[in-house]
């Protein structure tokens, strides 16, 4: 059916551009800006904190160049930020009146300003460790980013990968077990990738070969992996945790020179091997998806499988092996839980990260780099909750717990424009 | 998008429609030069048989296409033409028979094999990926690469430019396919086939989505390709095109070859061969007995959720006892217009009055109750519930009250009696009223839809593409019911992309182009004028009939 309607749809859009532009202009951006500006007014200006000053720590102890802490007056900062936020909201409203879109950088500036104001208010009397906040962001984002890469590859090929959660978890479990037994974290990484691969084999086989509903297979796989790893954890790993669940963690590797740069250095260039692999993976996928034969064919089976078939591309095989590749990547990312951060496997330790990764895929419009940025945003929201929990904030901790998920909902609800999925995403290709 | 017409320099975009005539000259001129020989190949199909369950789609079909000829495969919808070509292209495996190229038996296990052997296909529904550029679409499947599998896009662009220049196509290799007009997309399909050195080119119903002018251009391209040595198989059910371009004609009916015909054969001869009996292609109708205007549309605009305007400030009226046909190439706002009439479109401005009462934003239920009958253009998606029986489908829009429903209970006895009566009246051929609608042939499905709509008290009938994909017998039936409805004093709006149908039915014709009505002209307006209007040209003296 889609093939039938595609051509005329394209025709119409081409024609309609000439006819008239947008009778419907979205008021989403100015309304959202307005709400947040009001929130800023209520919190920062009408409810000022007793403490007068807020510190921002900009260096870690190990930095080559030490920058002194930045101390700002909490109330004045709040007032300035609030005024700026209202100004942006107003400008955005004017843009909409003129039937123009709010550019993305305005959204980013708004978000950063709000964050500065919020931190100045919430951490009044304390010092916000900015590098710590960002380092934690990267840490928490690593599995999200690997998961998002798995999702991008799989969905670009037309298979919805709900099983990212299961792939991450199987990777975490397997890497802990293998790294502990062999005393070699590299073998643990390999095992994690294979575990993710095996989970995605099941997804691929059912979704691509047997046309089973992809969402259902994915959900069932998640439940299966959670059950299986929890069972093995209780019955096997815990029985002999010293030999089976105490993997050697990867050490941080400082990249010479780069790791000495203030703020950025410790955040990006003093990380474990898994994170460096992640940088390479994102770059390679972003390039390969759009510039290589592999990427062209993968996208073609996700957009219009019949067209791919008629030029001799094996749709089923392309989908199956790319879902598998995605699974291996997600499994690899799962190893970060055990070999990169925590140092041991725990029950359900992925805690829904696979689903947030899926949200990052959508928020990132199925683009590897944008999905990575989205994952970083979610990671930041999670870590902000942690950091404010430590320094103590006036916002109830229950609200802070909601933060990452609220960010996810707002992001996916399309604040940054409509996402357009690959046309055949989630649709099995059944040859008649 | 930087410019509203990203490819406006390309003479073949709709904006450049006025260049159509001079460009044809250019084409002819290039054809006069000795064209480069693409290659010769003789194609033979011997005794091809393809069954789908009990249905024999192709029954021992044999066919020979000589090098450098345009061979037409003429047959009704459902005669088995596309099945045959899908066998040839390796998409289906034949149960019996063989395909020979230059006398050698071929075994195609997929389209890749067929393409490698030199067979190219221009599909009815374009096999192009809308979000890819032209170059990417052309290279897909046989990509030129540099080291590491990196795409050599420059090579692909060069290939597109080269082929495009050879045939005077004017296709920009970096244009996104979804931004191109349909006619240009079709050229991309041709380039795609030629880039793989196709020696036999199959066109599957290529004119279904084209304006008459674009059709003429396509014919010129086909002749040019033939003169360059390509063998062409042209699948169609349109007699006019066959007679214009074919060197030889093979007619198939119900999966069998009925015989060969000469291009000199008359339209009626060809039609009777195709259908198996004498066919009267004209529709008998009396002059309309016009009554009062029943439907008045004033300044109607329809936009979609993204703000794209699909119907742009359209005004017209329909009087009792007349058929207003809305002509135009597919996708120029007809779908949105008919859906707006039924209240299915959310972003509507302007006014629609039925019997003097405003129906914009009244809701579909109320509009149906006001007496609007609707035959949607996609009967399997929107006209019927495929998993419901005929009886259930016949009462689909009457589920709100008596006589079909009493105190929330379906009146099954009444429903079944009604269904039996209607299947008889509308000659719906099925095992019984309990047959699933999805299992019926296209013609019988459409009869179910018509039976449902025409058995209510109507004040207006809106029929969108009422005969698309139907066999000739069903087309005749649908046309006669539409004329009967008109003669009963009910105004009818028929949306059609087929000019033959428009001319046969219409008392007045409104032509839509890019969401606007270009003009409203009398029903006997010549095809050529309508063709120009479908490309956006305002006719001299338009609006007189409005």
């Amino acid at each position: 059916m889609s093939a039938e309607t595609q051509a005329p749809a394209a025709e119409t859009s081409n024609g309609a551009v000439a006819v008239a532009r947008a009778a419907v202009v979205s008021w989403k951006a100015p309304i959202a800006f307005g709400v947040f500006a009001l929130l800023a007014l209520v919190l920062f200006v009408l409810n000022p904190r007793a403490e007068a000053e807020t510190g921002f720590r900009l260096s870690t102890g190990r930095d080559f160049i030490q920058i002194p802490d930045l101390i700002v007056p909490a109330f004045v900062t709040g007032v300035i930020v609030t005024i700026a936020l209202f100004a942006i909201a107003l400008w955005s409203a004017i843009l909409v009146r003129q039937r123009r879109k709010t550019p993305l950088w305005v959204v980013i500036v708004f978000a950063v300003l709000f964050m500065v104001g919020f931190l100045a208010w919430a951490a009044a009397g304390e010092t916000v460790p900015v590098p710590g906040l960002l380092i934690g962001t990267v840490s928490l984002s690593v599995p999200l980013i690997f998961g998002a890469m798995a999702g991008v590859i799989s969905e670009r090929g037309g298979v919805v990968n709900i099983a990212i959660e299961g792939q991450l978890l199987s990777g975490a479990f397997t890497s802990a077990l293998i790294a502990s037994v062999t005393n070699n974290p590299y073998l643990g990484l390999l095992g994690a990738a294979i575990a993710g691969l095996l989970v995605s084999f099941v997804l691929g086989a059912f979704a691509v070969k047997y046309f089973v509903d992809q969402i259902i297979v994915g959900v069932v796989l998640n439940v299966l992996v959670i059950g299986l790893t929890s069972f093995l954890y209780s019955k096997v790993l815990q029985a002999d945790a010293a030999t089976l669940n105490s993997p050697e963690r990867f050490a941080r590797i400082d990249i010479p020179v780069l790791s000495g740069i203030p703020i950025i250095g410790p955040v990006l260039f003093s990380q474990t091997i898994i994170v460096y692999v992640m940088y390479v993976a994102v770059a390679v996928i972003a390039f390969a998806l759009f510039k290589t034969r592999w990427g062209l064919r993968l996208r073609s089976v996700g957009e219009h499988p019949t067209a791919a078939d008629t030029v001799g591309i094996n749709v089923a095989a392309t989908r199956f092996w790319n879902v598998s590749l995605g699974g291996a990547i997600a499994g690899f990312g799962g190893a970060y839980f055990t070999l990169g951060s925590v140092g041991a496997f725990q029950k359900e330790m992925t805690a829904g990260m696979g689903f947030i990764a899926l949200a990052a895929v959508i928020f990132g419009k199925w683009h590897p780099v944008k999905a990575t940025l989205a994952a970083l945003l979610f990671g930041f929201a999670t870590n902000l909750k942690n950091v404010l929990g430590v320094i103590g904030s006036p916002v109830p901790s229950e609200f802070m717990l909601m933060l990452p998920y609220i960010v996810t909902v707002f992001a996916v609800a399309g604040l940054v424009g409509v996402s357009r999925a690959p046309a055949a995403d989630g649709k099995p290709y059944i040859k008649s | 998008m930087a410019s509203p017409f990203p490819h406006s320099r390309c003479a073949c975009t709709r904006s450049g429609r006025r260049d159509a005539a001079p460009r044809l000259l250019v084409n002819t001129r290039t054809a006069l030069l000795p064209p480069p020989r693409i290659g010769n190949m003789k194609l033979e199909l011997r005794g091809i048989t393809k069954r789908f369950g009990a249905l024999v789609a192709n029954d021992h079909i044999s066919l020979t296409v000589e090098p450098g000829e345009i061979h037409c495969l003429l047959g009704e919808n459902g005669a088995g033409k596309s099945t045959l070509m899908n066998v040839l292209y390796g998409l289906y495996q034949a149960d019996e028979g063989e395909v020979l190229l230059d006398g050698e038996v071929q075994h195609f296990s997929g389209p890749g094999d067929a393409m490698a052997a030199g067979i190219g296909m221009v599909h009815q529904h374009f096999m192009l990926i809308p979000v890819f550029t032209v170059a990417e679409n052309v290279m897909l499947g046989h990509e030129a690469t540099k080291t590491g599998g990196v795409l050599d896009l420059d090579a692909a662009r060069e290939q597109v430019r080269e082929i495009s220049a050879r045939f005077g196509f004017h296709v920009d290799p970096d244009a996104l396919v979804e931004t191109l007009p349909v006619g240009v997309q079709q050229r991309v399909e041709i380039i795609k086939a030629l880039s793989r050195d196709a020696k036999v080119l199959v066109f599957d119903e290529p004119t279904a989505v084209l304006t008459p002018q674009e059709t003429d251009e396509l014919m010129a391209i086909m002749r040019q390709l033939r003169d360059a040595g390509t063998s062409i198989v042209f699948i169609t059910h349109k007699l006019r095109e066959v007679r214009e371009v074919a060197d030889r004609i093979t007619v198939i009916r119900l999966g069998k070859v009925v015989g060969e015909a000469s291009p000199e054969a008359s339209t009626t001869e060809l039609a009777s061969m195709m259908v198996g009996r004498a066919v009267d292609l004209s529709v008998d109708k009396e002059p309309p007995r016009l009554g009062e205007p029943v439907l008045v549309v004033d300044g109607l605009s329809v936009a979609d959720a993204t703000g794209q305007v699909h119907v742009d400030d359209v005004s017209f009226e329909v009087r009792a006892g007349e058929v207003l046909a809305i002509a135009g190439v597919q996708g120029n706002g007809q779908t949105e217009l008919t859906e707006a009439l039924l209240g299915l479109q959310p972003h509507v401005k302007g006014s629609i009055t039925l019997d003097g009462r405003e129906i914009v934003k009244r809701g579909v239920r109320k509009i149906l109750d006001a007496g609007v009958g609707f035959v949607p253009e996609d009967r399997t998606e929107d006209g019927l519930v495929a998993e419901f029986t005929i009886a259930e489908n016949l009462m689909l829009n009457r589920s709100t009250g008596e006589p079909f429903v009493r105190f929330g209970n379906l009146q099954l006895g009444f429903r079944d009696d009604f269904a039996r009566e209607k299947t008889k009246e509308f000659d719906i051929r099925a095992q019984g009223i309990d047959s699933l609608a999805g299992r019926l042939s296209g013609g019988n499905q459409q009869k179910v839809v018509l039976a449902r709509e025409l058995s209510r008290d109507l004040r207006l009938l809106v029929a969108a593409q009422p005969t698309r994909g139907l066999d000739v017998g069903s087309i005749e039936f649908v046309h006669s019911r539409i004329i009967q409805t008109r003669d009963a004093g009910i105004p009818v709006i028929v949306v059609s992309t087929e000019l033959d149908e428009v001319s046969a039915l219409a008392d007045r014709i409104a032509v839509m182009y890019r969401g606007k009505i270009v003009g409203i002209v009398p029903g006997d307006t010549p095809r050529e004028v309508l063709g120009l209007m479908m490309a956006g040209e305002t006719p001299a003296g338009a609006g007189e009939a409005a």
Side-chain angles (χ1 to χ4, degrees), chain B residues 216-384:
Chain B
D216 289 344
E217 288 170 29
L218 177 69
M219 302 278 169
I221 291 169
M222 281 163 74
R223 289 193 198 97
Q224 209 182 337
L225 286 165
R226 172 195 63 195
D227 296 342
T230 313
S231 317
I232 289 176
V233 183
F234 176 27
I235 303 176
T236 188
H237 64 273
K238 294 186 184 170
L239 305 168
R240 190 188 314 271
E241 294 163 6
V242 171
R243 295 183 61 229
E244 191 177 326
V245 81
D247 295 319
R248 277 209 290 165
I249 302 169
T250 298
V251 184
I252 62 176
R253 185 170 74 229
L254 299 173
K256 288 189 180 135
V257 172
V258 189
E260 292 213 353
S262 132
E264 279 80 46
S266 72
T267 322
T268 28
E269 277 175 82
L270 288 174
S272 62
M273 260 182 104
M274 182 167 91
V275 182
R277 60 183 166 83
V279 180
D280 185 7
L281 291 167
S282 61
V283 177
D284 289 327
K285 58 173 191 196
E286 316 262 304
R289 290 189 303 274
L290 289 179
E292 290 299 302
V294 174
L295 181 83
V296 180
V297 175
D298 189 26
L300 182 73
S301 293
V302 182
D304 65 20
T306 63
Q308 289 273 12
V309 178
H310 293 286
V311 177
D312 189 15
D313 193 14
V314 159
S315 302
F316 61 90
E317 57 177 46
V318 194
R319 300 168 72 172
E322 73 164 344
V323 174
L324 174 75
I326 297 180
V329 179
Q330 204 173 14
N332 274 293
Q334 302 97 313
T335 307
E336 290 77 9
L337 174 63
T338 49
E339 289 186 355
L341 291 177
L342 204 74
L344 286 167
Q345 288 279 346
H347 305 288
V348 175
K349 274 196 298 196
S351 138
I352 306 171
T353 53
L354 183 71
D355 290 326
R357 279 158 59 205
E358 183 64 48
I359 59 171
V360 165
K361 304 211 164 117
R362 288 271 308 275
V364 180
R365 179 79 260 156
K366 288 204 170 130
I367 293 175
L368 286 178
D369 289 344
V372 178
F374 185 51
V375 179
E377 59 181 40
D378 189 340
R379 62 183 156 269
T380 49
E381 284 287 313
D382 304 326
L384 295 163

Side-chain angles (χ1 to χ4, degrees), chain A residues 1 4 10-12 14-16 18-19 22-23 291-293 296-297 299-300 303-304 307 309-311 420 432, chain B residues 5 14 89 92 111 115 125 127-129 131-132 140-141 143 149 151 178-179 181-182 307-310 312 331 514:
Chain A
M1 211 71 270
E4 210 164 319
E11 173 81 357
T12 322
N14 192 43
V19 172
K291 299 283 181 202
T292 68
R293 175 165 57 193
L296 190 73
R297 292 187 172 191
R299 287 184 292 135
S300 75
E303 290 287 346
H304 195 339
D309 195 7
T310 55
V311 293
R420 177 162 149 185
S432 47
Chain B
F5 297 107
R14 309 196 145 273
Y89 198 57
Y92 295 158
M115 278 183 301
H125 307 299
M127 290 301 161
L128 298 172
I129 290 154
V131 297
F132 282 14
L140 183 67
E143 302 86 350
L151 295 173
E178 64 184 350
T179 64
V182 177
Q308 289 273 12
V309 178
H310 293 286
D312 189 15
R514 290 191 171 176

Side-chain angles (χ1 to χ4, degrees), chain A residues 2 7 43 48 100 137 142 147 174 278 281 350 406 424:
Chain A
S2 67
L43 291 180
R100 283 157 62 191
T137 298
V142 171
T174 314
M278 181 187 84
T350 50
I406 290 177

Side-chain angles (χ1 to χ4, degrees), chain A residues 201-417:
Chain A
F201 274 175
V202 182
L203 174 65
F206 279 99
V208 178
K209 183 140 191 355
Y210 298 109
F211 314 125
V212 181
D213 188 293
Q214 298 168 3
I215 310 288
I216 292 177
V217 181
V219 169
V220 169
L221 272 176
N222 287 336
V223 176
L224 175 74
V225 174
I226 290 173
L228 203 60
T229 53
S230 300
F231 171 76
L232 290 174
Y233 173 73
S234 321
K235 291 289 167 190
V236 183
L237 292 197
Q238 273 196 323
D240 190 0
T243 52
L244 295 180
N245 195 15
S246 50
E248 186 189 330
R249 274 203 290 171
F250 282 108
R252 286 183 187 279
I253 305 168
D254 287 337
I255 305 244
V257 185
L258 290 179
S259 62
I261 303 172
I263 304 183
I264 299 176
V267 172
L268 296 181
F269 301 110
S270 175
Q271 293 283 6
T272 62
I273 177 105
I274 301 179
V275 178
Y276 296 127
V277 170
M278 181 187 84
Y279 298 156
V280 175
V282 172
V284 167
I285 292 170
F287 176 81
L289 196 55
F290 299 103
K291 299 283 181 202
T292 68
R293 175 165 57 193
W294 166 78
L296 190 73
R297 292 187 172 191
L298 174 64
R299 287 184 292 135
S300 75
V301 300
E303 290 287 346
H304 195 339
T306 322
D309 195 7
T310 55
V311 293
I313 294 170
N314 186 334
V315 176
T318 307
R319 286 187 165 180
F320 181 84
W321 289 112
N322 281 298
V323 170
S324 305
L325 174 65
I329 293 173
F332 191 94
Y336 185 79
F337 286 105
T338 46
L339 305 181
S341 62
V342 179
F345 181 79
Q346 290 156 13
K347 258 187 193 178
E348 295 183 44
M349 71 190 304
T350 50
M353 283 245 190
F355 297 107
I356 303 285
L358 208 59
V361 173
I362 298 167
F363 187 32
K365 300 182 179 179
W366 290 267
H367 189 287
V369 173
K370 288 181 187 161
T372 300
L373 294 177
L376 283 168
L377 177 67
F378 298 149
F380 177 78
T382 312
N383 198 41
L384 183 65
K385 170 197 85 185
N386 297 343
V387 169
L388 288 181
V390 171
I391 59 179
S393 101
V395 184
S397 64
E398 287 78 6
F399 274 96
M400 294 313 295
L401 277 175
M402 283 160 45
L403 192 62
Y405 305 102
I406 290 177
V407 169
T408 310
V409 168
F410 269 94
V412 176
L415 263 190
V416 190

